[in-house]
Amino acid sequence: MSKDFKDVETIIGSTVKIEGDFKGEGDIIVEGIVEGTLKTRRNLKVGEAAKIKAGVEASNAYVAGEILGDLKIAESLELTPSAKVTGDVEAKILTVATGAQINGQIKMGGEMTVEKVEEKEEKKK
Amino acid sequence: MYQYIYDHYLGNKKYDKVLAKIEARLIDLGIQGKINKITLLKNFEVYVNEIVAKQPEALVVVGNDETVAKILNIIAEKEVVLGIIPIGEPNTIAGYFGIPKEEAACEVVSARKIKEVDLGKINGQFFMSAVEVFGEGATVICNNKFEIKALKDTEKIGIYNLCFETGSHQIFNPQDGQLELISAPKEQKGFWGFKSKKQLTESLIKIKKAKILSSPATSSVLVDGHKIMKTPAEVTLGEKKLRVIVGKERKF
């Protein structure tokens, strides 16, 4: 997964906290704290020390930290042994390492893109 | 016709030789023009505006970073091409644009390779490089969408148009129509105060505009490394780009 992070557009470092709607077009690496919503059309990497209290949407995600919120991943989601997710998880392909925690419903295999996820949300509004 | 502006410190005799060499080289290259010497008695803004009104082929600043910074707020968003002949220190702006010092800069001015670069704007004033706010507790609202708070171990949050430091991120392009927000962590000390191998991660976020909020810990910001301004401060990009004569060795 880390090989895919060549064009990192955003890094949220370990000494900052972000609150609000964060939307990116490129790859995002999170090492700090995020509260609100976090969306990208590309890849997301959540570091071991990261704490996310937000709804998360991405094309692919590699999670080693903590997420409190729903996860909608259009393609592949990888959870490492240190990952802790509290919320519903939606992904086409899911890899869960021994020790990773998921507390929520899991939905897999559906055809879904980040754009479609956003469209659905808009229709709800 | 080219218009040359000499900063007042070049009146010192020690610069006579180098100025004579530059003037001779400009004649050789066929780009000699009107020399305007800044004195402390003249109103700088009125003086420069009069020169710009003459619609020169290029306005060439002869001086250092401070000379360029002074002129920037007057010529930004005007139809003028800026050239630089660096003399003395500091001259990081010229270095970034690939302009060598003194006589050698004349070749670059003569070659007239022009690039359009973004300018930053803070509370209506223009800046070339960066706005920096120091310490824990600094808060920046970005694009009116999200807020970034500096936690413990943050050295500074910087909003960059272009960066002169040779740090880990060499991606500051002053032509991309974006600003880069960087939060730099404090250096982590290890055993006996030596630099620890494990350092905290920097943040990097591309933004269009920002508002630096005021707090007891962050009542001022540092602009382009030398000017202090009060918070709250609105930071954006200028609407028009600045046209600058650059050299082959430019860093973007």
Side-chain angles (χ1 to χ4, degrees):
Chain A
M1 185 77 187
S2 57
K3 282 178 200 166
D4 299 334
F5 279 82
K6 282 174 189 166
D7 305 313
V8 179
E9 188 193 69
T10 306
I11 302 168
I12 299 169
S14 50
T15 64
V16 295
K17 179 182 177 184
I18 289 190
E19 280 179 27
D21 296 328
F22 191 93
K23 202 172 168 184
E25 293 293 323
D27 295 348
I28 298 178
I29 295 176
V30 182
E31 299 283 351
I33 302 169
V34 180
E35 287 183 14
T37 54
L38 179 64
K39 288 181 190 177
T40 176
R41 284 178 198 274
R42 298 201 51 184
N43 304 323
L44 169 72
K45 183 180 176 182
V46 180
E48 216 173 311
K51 283 189 177 141
I52 298 176
K53 206 190 269 187
V56 176
E57 287 179 26
S59 186
N60 294 289
Y62 172 93
V63 180
E66 210 178 307
I67 299 176
L68 180 62
D70 295 343
L71 228 80
K72 288 181 181 176
I73 306 302
E75 292 295 323
S76 159
L77 168 63
E78 191 177 336
L79 301 178
T80 71
S82 56
K84 199 175 169 185
V85 178
T86 308
D88 296 343
V89 173
E90 213 171 316
K92 202 168 166 187
I93 303 160
L94 176 64
T95 311
V96 185
T98 313
Q101 293 180 32
I102 305 174
N103 293 302
Q105 290 188 333
I106 298 172
K107 191 179 163 188
M108 279 180 63
E111 286 292 327
M112 182 168 276
T113 63
V114 176
E115 288 89 335
K116 280 179 185 169
V117 171
E118 284 169 4
E119 278 169 20
K120 277 182 185 178
E121 282 210 338
E122 274 166 22
K123 277 177 191 171
K124 275 183 195 172
K125 285 172 193 172
Chain B
M1 187 189 203
Y2 281 65
Q3 293 277 350
Y4 296 87
I5 297 186
Y6 286 19
D7 204 338
H8 70 87
Y9 72 87
L10 298 174
N12 190 315
K13 277 193 172 177
K14 72 174 181 179
Y15 296 109
D16 285 356
K17 252 187 183 176
V18 67
L19 286 173
K21 278 185 185 174
I22 287 169
E23 285 160 19
R25 189 74 192 116
L26 293 175
I27 292 168
D28 288 348
L29 294 165
I31 52 166
Q32 70 273 34
K34 173 100 195 301
I35 293 169
N36 306 276
K37 292 180 180 172
I38 299 169
T39 68
L40 296 172
L41 299 172
K42 289 175 186 167
N43 182 319
F44 186 66
E45 194 174 339
V46 174
Y47 188 55
V48 174
N49 272 324
E50 279 172 10
I51 297 166
V52 173
K54 290 173 189 163
Q55 296 178 324
E57 276 179 75
L59 182 71
V60 182
V61 174
V62 185
N64 59 17
D65 283 348
E66 219 174 294
T67 329
V68 177
K70 271 192 286 189
I71 229 153
L72 205 61
N73 271 296
I74 306 167
I75 64 162
E77 306 199 328
K78 288 198 172 106
E79 290 298 329
V80 65
V81 173
L82 176 71
I84 305 169
I85 297 180
I87 300 180
E89 293 293 337
N91 252 311
T92 40
I93 296 174
Y96 190 87
F97 290 136
I99 304 164
K101 282 186 181 171
E102 302 173 355
E103 203 185 338
C106 302
E107 314 282 341
V108 173
V109 175
S110 169
R112 237 184 121 81
K113 187 174 184 61
I114 297 166
K115 289 278 173 191
E116 289 193 334
V117 297
D118 296 323
L119 282 179
K121 214 170 176 182
I122 175 164
N123 288 351
Q125 296 269 308
F126 290 93
F127 68 91
M128 184 72 92
S129 169
V131 173
E132 292 165 315
V133 55
F134 293 82
E136 185 187 341
T139 307
V140 182
I141 298 173
C142 302
N143 301 342
N144 290 333
K145 295 262 183 189
F146 56 91
E147 185 180 288
I148 297 176
K149 269 187 193 159
L151 304 175
K152 192 174 156 256
D153 289 328
T154 301
E155 174 78 32
K156 65 177 175 185
I157 290 183
I159 299 169
Y160 297 88
N161 176 41
L162 53 89
C163 182
F164 302 133
E165 292 167 26
T166 48
S168 53
H169 300 291
Q170 292 295 310
I171 48 154
F172 304 101
N173 183 347
Q175 296 182 296
D176 63 1
Q178 295 196 86
L179 294 161
E180 278 86 18
L181 182 145
I182 297 277
S183 89
K186 283 179 188 162
E187 193 175 87
Q188 297 300 296
K189 300 281 184 193
F191 194 55
W192 285 357
F194 290 113
K195 189 180 171 183
S196 167
K197 278 183 186 172
K198 202 179 175 188
Q199 294 297 318
L200 298 166
T201 336
E202 263 185 5
S203 299
L204 162 68
I205 300 167
K206 287 179 184 277
I207 56 170
K208 290 270 183 195
K209 61 178 176 178
K211 186 176 182 182
I212 302 167
L213 301 184
S214 191
S215 77
T218 54
S219 58
S220 62
V221 295
L222 185 65
V223 183
D224 278 348
H226 63 87
K227 194 159 76 179
I228 292 167
M229 288 180 82
K230 292 271 172 211
T231 54
E234 302 261 3
V235 184
T236 55
L237 283 173
E239 281 161 26
K240 275 183 84 174
K241 291 183 185 249
L242 180 72
R243 298 172 73 210
V244 188
I245 298 175
V246 297
K248 281 181 191 164
E249 303 298 318
R250 68 186 178 279
K251 295 191 172 81
F252 62 94

